[in-house]
Structure formats: structure tokens, C-alpha cells
Amino acid sequence: MGLSSDSAFLLKFICIVTLFSPIWAKTHHRTFIIQETPCTRLCNTKNILTVNGQYPGPTIYARNGDTVVVKVINLGNKNITLHWHGVNEPRNPWHDGPEYITQCPIKPGANFTQRIQFTEEEGTLWWHAHTDFDRATVHGAIVIHPRKGSTFPFPKPDKEVTLILGEWWNADVNDVLWKAQMTGGDVDPSDANTINGQPGDFLPCSQNDTFKVQVQQGKTYLLRMINAALSNEYFFAIASHRLTVVGKDGSYTKPYSTDYIMITPGQTMTLLLKADQLKNSSSPSRYYMAARPYNGNSLVPFDQTVATAILEYRTNMNTFSTMPLFASLPGIDDTNAATAFTNGLRSLASWDHPVDVPKTIDEHMYIAIAVNVVPCPGNFNCTGPSGNKLASSLNNASFENPPIDVLDAYHYSIPNVYTPDFPNKPPFFFNFTEDNIPSEFFLTQKSTKVKVLEYNTTVEIVFQGTNILGGENHPMHLHGHSFFVVGTGFGVFDKEKDPLSYNLVDPPYENTIGVPKNGWVAIRFKAANPGVWFMHCHFERHTIWGMDMVFITKNGNTTDGKMLPRPHDMPHC
């Protein structure tokens, strides 16, 4: 008996799926409920937005090759979106998450189901809200293990621990944002820095809830480190212990032993910790884990508190009342320490984890990063420099969200939503890193400029830091892609000399990179992911001020090179 046409189609579909979907890959289903939850920190209780009542939120677990389907239900009191940070989402910008870039926000009472596909990512990533200042409390870890039949490229650890660095405001975070937007001034700094949502022993009403990790002498622990802070970069260390970096931004690195790390907002790291300090009965059994902010700009107000957690060795004696040993950390403004750590990162570049650095570049972009001002609206006297309103820009274009999302405008060819003219270089050149930059360079203009790329274009971007209104280390994040960090340095980039020192052999493969204060970073990637992809500074106030832009990568000629169809349940503006 022959097969019916429906049965034949189904059999053919199963064969295709089997061919392109490994038999070990799984699809996991999760439900994330956005809701208001009372939370107490620093002797104060307030309602915060959470996912499933948790702060930090639940961890997503998967393997390389798996797919996770998350139904997001908004029971909160405001619009929200969720972004899967560092997941390339191949051909699927519809589920990437930044508001008014790839989707309209999910309104209170509505829901949206997002599909997260892990095609090359392996290691530690994270998810977070991508609206206003909501990611201060709406965030969580993503753990991607090797696919079945594969292993870590290092000895399997005895246990895994997730450490999320963040900030806590006693005020409602969106009231903090509203105040800054209304006055035109800077954002009030947070009241505490946190490790897994807790400030630690040295902040008011915090000691009893300090996060603790118990370890056994001789065992090895894998630490999954995430910087979820809105404003602060951190030095992190554990007293009397060295750390070995083995992963960065969902990609493996050459093992890199260090006394401390420096991690910017948006970045993730995978670290190995050997519990090797309890050598005899008189040895200390408790050690502080500590995170101190790094800030090279004295003009920017920031939270200088040190967040702590505790590493405890299991012993036969009750030693938990003893004072932990203090961790040694670089100073708050130690740029040399930050640079030394960052320069030590390299891709693993092994047989199982090769690198493919673009050698021939189709599109060269030189992007000047700046904090600027725009005129204060109306007769209101803003609190920014010279009575202006603070803003920020890339190549003097200060992005502002359109009324509908860029992805829908591109998909439906809706006019007057964006302009495809983001420039490949700044509109004017000067000594970007000099101490006294003339005030005429402070002003910027609002825009919705995007950069359009042909499919498979190879791109090099040189991010140039500027000292307008005081330079900072800017963590630049690219959606939809990871990239190779091929070069970095201080001063103004020299297009003749600096490329000679590029690392094209084993550069780190990242999705968020800190552009050093008064320095530059060069990255390379291939635009082989069709769709609309956001690029922005991961200091949240800088994103809201306009330090961002959008790439549109056109479809290729094959099915695998075309954007997936628009989902039926996309939120409406």
C-alpha cells in the first residue's frame, strides 16, 4: 500500500529534521512570569519586578544544540521585554528582545513565547530585561553544557556555582530613571553592589543573608560569573585563592590563571577555583569573595561599596563564627590592573574549538564613542553641563527609539521609521583623547540611523573612545553575533601602525567588549545572520541616552540565509 500525500510529506519532514537536528538535541519548555514581589535589602522593603518571584531570576539550563522555548507572561505593572544575552538567535531576530528594535514590548496582562536556539554557544551566558532600568532585578543565568558525547576542554569540576554581580537601589529603579530624564542630569548611583542579590557583610541589615559557598579541600569548582549591573564594572577576587579563566561570553578560552578578574556589565566568565587552602587544622576555613567597582572617570558619580560573599571550607569543627580573610583587590581607578587582566584573554583555538577570524574585510567602520549633550527642551533649566541635557552617541548620532520597532518597519517596508545612513566614520575628526576638548564638540543630534549590510559581509569595527565630558571604559555589546577582539590600545587609533599588532591567531571571541577609557578596540565578525541587530553600550544610562545603533543584515540567496517568518504572536505597539 502506498503512502498518502500527507503521510509522505510528514515522513519527508521527519527525515529533514533528523538530518539537520542532531538526535541528542532537546527542546526545553519554561514559563517566566513577570510579577511584582516584595524584597528587603539595606533595612528597606520595596516591590521589585521579578521572574517567578525570584531575584536574581531562574537559571536556564541547556546543552549546545538544544532549544529552549520560554513563555513570558507579564503580570507586572509596566511594559517589558526579555533578551537572551549572547545567544546569536540564527535567522531569528524576532525573539531577540530589545524594545522598539526587534519587538514592541509585552504589555501588562499579555504574553509572548520566545524561542532560544543554542547553535554555537557553550559556557556561561545570561538573560535580562531590555526595557528601561528593569534589568536591575529582572535577570538570570544561562548555563550551556557541552552536547552529549562531548566534554569540557578541561577536567570536569566537582561542582558548579553561579555568581551574579549587580546593583541595588533603595528607590524604585524606574523612578531613578525618570528623575534623570526629567532633570537632564546623571543617574543617581546605586545604594549597594551585590553578589547574587546580596550586598554582603559590610552593608546595613545584610550580614545574615550574605551569600555563602561551601567547598571541600582538594576539590575543583566551576564558577559562572555574570555582571548584571546597570552602571558598574567590577574587580572580583577570592581571598588567598587564584582563579583560572576558561571561558568568556559563551566561548572557551586558553586557561588563564589570575589573582583577580575585571568584568564589565554584560560580560560573563567561566572560572575554575581549586579549594587548596585548608592545609591543616589551624588553617583559616573562611574567605571573602569580593567585588569592587572599577571606574576611571572621577566626574561620574558611582556606588563605591564593596559587595562580599563567603567561601567556607567544610570541616569537623564549627568555624562559621570566625571572621573570613579579606580579599585583595585592585584600586577603584586602577586602569593598569584592568588592562593587564583583559590583555591576557585568548581563544582556546583548539582542534575541537577552532577560530575563524575574517582576514579579508569588506566593510571598515570607525566608530567614535562619546557622552554628549543636547539642548534642554523648552525653557526648562536642565542639570547637565551648561544647563543642557546629557546624551550620548556613536559617530555623533544619538539613537532614539522609534514609535514602532525597526524589525517590523524593515520587514513590512514601513517608511519614516529609520534611515539607512549610519556613517562609517565620525562627521569630524579631532584629538579624541586630549584632556581639554572644546565645548563645540559636546553637542550631538538625535537620529534613528541604521547600517545596512549585505549577507556574508565581513566587518571590522574600530571603537574609538573619546574624552568628551570625561572618558570611560565603555562595554559595547553586539546582538546576533559574537566577534573576535583583534586589537586594543590607548590614544587615538593609527590606521597605518595599529593593525600591524592585531592578533589574528587566537583573539578572544566575545559579545561584549570594554573599550578602554581614552583608548580603542578593534573587532571583526561576519554578517551571516540575516535580520535586525542592536549594538549598544551596556551601561544602561548610556543606552537610554543614545549610545547605540542598529545593523540590518539582508537575506542571502539560500533558505538557510533568509530570516525566519514573523511569529504570529508578536506583541503590538
Side-chain angles (χ1 to χ4, degrees):
M1 184 187 303
L3 291 173
S4 68
S5 58
D6 288 344
S7 298
F9 174 80
L10 180 60
L11 181 61
K12 182 178 180 182
F13 176 77
I14 292 172
C15 291
I16 291 173
V17 170
T18 302
L19 179 64
F20 290 102
S21 299
I23 59 174
W24 42 260
K26 292 184 177 180
T27 299
H28 311 266
H29 292 267
R30 300 291 301 272
T31 299
F32 277 14
I33 299 175
I34 310 292
Q35 60 192 53
E36 292 263 334
T37 303
C39 188
T40 301
R41 298 290 187 274
L42 305 182
C43 315
N44 296 296
T45 300
K46 68 173 184 177
N47 281 346
I48 63 172
L49 275 181
T50 64
V51 170
N52 298 351
Q54 300 176 42
Y55 165 62
T59 298
I60 291 175
Y61 293 94
R63 290 185 180 274
N64 186 332
D66 285 357
T67 298
V68 178
V69 178
V70 182
K71 183 175 183 178
V72 183
I73 302 172
N74 186 5
L75 300 184
N77 58 5
K78 67 183 300 293
N79 293 343
I80 201 163
T81 68
L82 292 187
H83 167 57
W84 321 101
H85 186 112
V87 183
N88 288 350
E89 292 284 31
R91 304 169 51 221
N92 189 21
W94 306 104
H95 290 162
D96 189 48
E99 67 169 341
Y100 298 111
I101 306 299
T102 61
Q103 69 170 87
C104 297
I106 308 167
K107 297 175 182 178
N111 66 80
F112 178 40
T113 298
Q114 294 175 257
R115 188 177 183 88
I116 315 157
Q117 189 171 2
F118 301 103
T119 52
E120 69 169 17
E121 302 84 3
E122 196 169 306
T124 307
L125 294 174
W126 66 304
W127 58 266
H128 61 82
H130 218 301
T131 42
D132 298 332
F133 273 13
D134 297 320
R135 76 172 169 90
T137 58
V138 179
H139 60 253
I142 300 175
V143 173
I144 312 111
H145 284 113
R147 61 179 174 83
K148 284 192 174 181
S150 183
T151 62
F152 295 118
F154 46 81
K156 184 178 179 180
D158 295 289
K159 186 179 179 180
E160 298 186 15
V161 178
T162 297
L163 299 172
I164 301 179
L165 307 181
E167 294 171 278
W168 173 266
W169 278 263
N170 284 329
D172 183 286
V173 289
N174 284 306
D175 288 345
V176 172
L177 171 60
W178 180 85
K179 175 186 172 184
Q181 290 176 319
M182 290 301 99
T183 64
D186 212 332
V187 173
D188 290 339
S190 55
D191 296 289
N193 294 295
T194 60
I195 298 176
N196 284 357
Q198 297 293 342
D201 280 3
F202 302 102
L203 277 294
C205 304
S206 300
Q207 190 170 24
N208 291 341
D209 296 312
T210 297
F211 183 75
K212 299 176 181 66
V213 177
Q214 287 198 355
V215 298
Q216 287 184 271
Q217 163 66 26
K219 292 190 179 294
T220 300
Y221 296 82
L222 187 148
L223 306 182
R224 297 187 180 276
M225 180 72 61
I226 297 163
N227 186 347
L230 300 192
S231 303
N232 283 342
E233 302 172 290
Y234 296 104
F235 290 115
F236 173 86
I238 302 177
S240 301
H241 293 76
R242 285 179 69 78
L243 301 167
T244 300
V245 184
V246 292
K248 172 79 167 57
D249 286 0
S251 179
Y252 293 116
T253 65
K254 287 182 169 66
Y256 171 30
S257 182
T258 178
D259 290 323
Y260 65 92
I261 67 168
M262 196 285 283
I263 184 168
T264 71
Q267 289 183 336
T268 64
M269 293 183 191
T270 305
L271 315 171
L272 293 179
L273 166 71
K274 182 79 171 185
D276 58 4
Q277 288 302 299
L278 191 65
K279 296 173 182 175
N280 54 58
S281 60
S282 62
S283 298
S285 61
R286 307 183 83 213
Y287 301 83
Y288 274 120
M289 301 186 281
R292 169 185 285 160
Y294 161 60
N295 189 319
N297 186 350
S298 60
L299 300 177
V300 176
F302 70 102
D303 176 3
Q304 300 189 32
T305 62
V306 176
T308 56
I310 298 174
L311 188 78
E312 299 177 333
Y313 280 76
R314 296 176 187 170
T315 68
N316 294 325
M317 298 180 293
N318 181 10
T319 58
F320 293 159
S321 61
T322 60
M323 189 71 175
L325 289 185
F326 285 93
S328 177
L329 289 161
I332 280 176
D333 59 352
D334 194 339
T335 296
N336 289 336
T339 304
F341 170 76
T342 302
N343 286 348
L345 295 169
R346 296 285 185 273
S347 282
L348 187 56
S350 67
W351 177 264
D352 291 330
H353 301 278
V355 299
D356 184 18
V357 186
K359 302 297 196 304
T360 302
I361 301 301
D362 302 316
E363 194 85 44
H364 289 268
M365 302 183 71
Y366 183 71
I367 299 180
I369 303 171
V371 173
N372 308 91
V373 295
V374 291
C376 198
N379 296 320
F380 187 72
N381 186 33
C382 290
T383 59
S386 303
N388 290 305
K389 185 175 184 177
L390 282 168
S392 61
S393 68
L394 299 176
N395 280 351
N396 209 43
S398 184
F399 192 87
E400 58 183 353
N401 286 340
I404 66 169
D405 61 285
V406 176
L407 179 53
D408 264 346
Y410 170 62
H411 180 68
Y412 290 115
S413 300
I414 301 172
N416 304 319
V417 174
Y418 63 84
T419 58
D421 58 346
F422 183 85
N424 277 3
K425 61 183 180 180
F428 38 78
F429 285 78
F430 53 94
N431 185 350
F432 294 120
T433 61
E434 67 178 318
D435 289 336
N436 298 303
I437 294 178
S439 59
E440 58 261 32
F441 295 122
F442 291 6
L443 285 170
T444 186
Q445 292 183 334
K446 291 294 181 180
S447 79
T448 52
K449 295 182 179 182
V450 310
K451 174 69 178 178
V452 179
L453 298 170
E454 296 294 329
Y455 182 74
N456 264 344
T457 296
T458 53
V459 183
E460 176 177 299
I461 300 175
V462 175
F463 294 111
Q464 176 65 62
T466 70
N467 204 27
I468 297 175
L469 298 176
E472 289 183 76
N473 192 76
H474 294 283
M476 298 303 298
H477 171 51
L478 176 60
H479 290 224
H481 308 76
S482 290
F483 48 75
F484 292 100
V485 183
V486 297
T488 185
F490 288 94
V492 177
F493 177 76
D494 186 322
K495 66 179 181 179
E496 302 298 331
K497 296 180 181 179
D498 286 325
L500 300 177
S501 64
Y502 281 179
N503 175 10
L504 302 180
V505 177
D506 59 354
Y509 192 53
E510 308 184 357
N511 63 63
T512 307
I513 182 63
V515 181
K517 175 185 176 181
N518 291 340
W520 57 271
V521 165
I523 69 169
R524 290 184 176 184
F525 67 95
K526 179 180 283 190
N529 194 4
V532 170
W533 306 108
F534 201 32
M535 187 174 77
H536 61 98
C537 179
H538 227 271
F539 288 147
E540 205 69 5
R541 69 193 195 283
H542 289 178
T543 295
I544 287 170
W545 291 347
M547 194 178 287
D548 27 75
M549 56 85 68
V550 175
F551 283 106
I552 295 178
T553 299
K554 293 181 178 180
N555 283 334
N557 294 323
T558 65
T559 301
D560 288 343
K562 296 185 187 301
M563 195 167 63
L564 293 175
R566 186 182 193 273
H568 67 88
D569 62 341
M570 291 295 296
H572 299 286
C573 288

